[in-house]
Structures are given as structure tokens and as C-alpha cells.
Amino acid sequence: MKCKTCPREAGKRDFCLLHLKAYENIVKKYDFWRKALKISWKEYLSEIEQNSLTGEWAKEVASYLINNEEIRIVKEI
Ligand SMILES: [Zn+2]
């Protein structure tokens, strides 16, 4: 099984270790953003995708999530 966003071997949630870490950070930070800025999950993801301060890993995960509309994942955490 390959990672959803790169050719590496995937582990948990079908992400490789590096993308999984980026993914977990994205989900963790969303809680803070949601409270502070009241933005939706999708708006938050596009912020990450466009923010030049965001790492490449997070950008790749964000654009994957945008394109695949995995909105449910927020509730799973
Ligand atoms: Zn990956």
C-alpha cells in the first residue's frame, strides 16, 4: 500500500510516516483555528495550502484532503 500523497510505503490512515505527522498536526491545529477564527475545515485547508510558511508535507496533505473532501476525519479525532 502506497501513501495517499507520495510513493512511500503507507502506514496508519494510508499516509507514510512523514505525511501522517503532517496530517496529525493539521488536525490538531484546526481545533485552535476553529475557535479563534471560526473558519470551516475547508477554508482552513486552503489556508494551509496557500500559506508560504507551511511545510511542503502539510501542503501536500492539505491539497489531498481538499481534493478528496475527507470532511468526516475531523469528527473521528
Ligand atoms: Zn507520503
Side-chain angles (χ1 to χ4, degrees), residues 3-8 15-19 57 60:
C3 172
K4 284 167 176 172
T5 58
C6 76
R8 282 186 189 77
F15 284 122
C16 66
L17 281 180
L18 289 164
H19 280 121
W57 301 106
E60 282 163 16

Side-chain angles (χ1 to χ4, degrees), residues 6-43:
C6 76
R8 282 186 189 77
E9 202 64 33
K12 238 167 75 181
R13 286 188 183 273
D14 300 336
F15 284 122
C16 66
L17 281 180
L18 289 164
H19 280 121
L20 180 68
K21 207 153 193 190
Y23 168 80
E24 284 173 344
N25 270 331
I26 288 173
V27 172
K28 226 184 278 170
K29 278 187 199 154
Y30 177 57
D31 230 31
F32 173 77
W33 277 59
R34 189 174 45 185
K35 280 173 197 145
L37 302 168
K38 295 192 164 48
I39 63 172
S40 73
W41 175 240
K42 274 218 132 158
E43 284 164 339

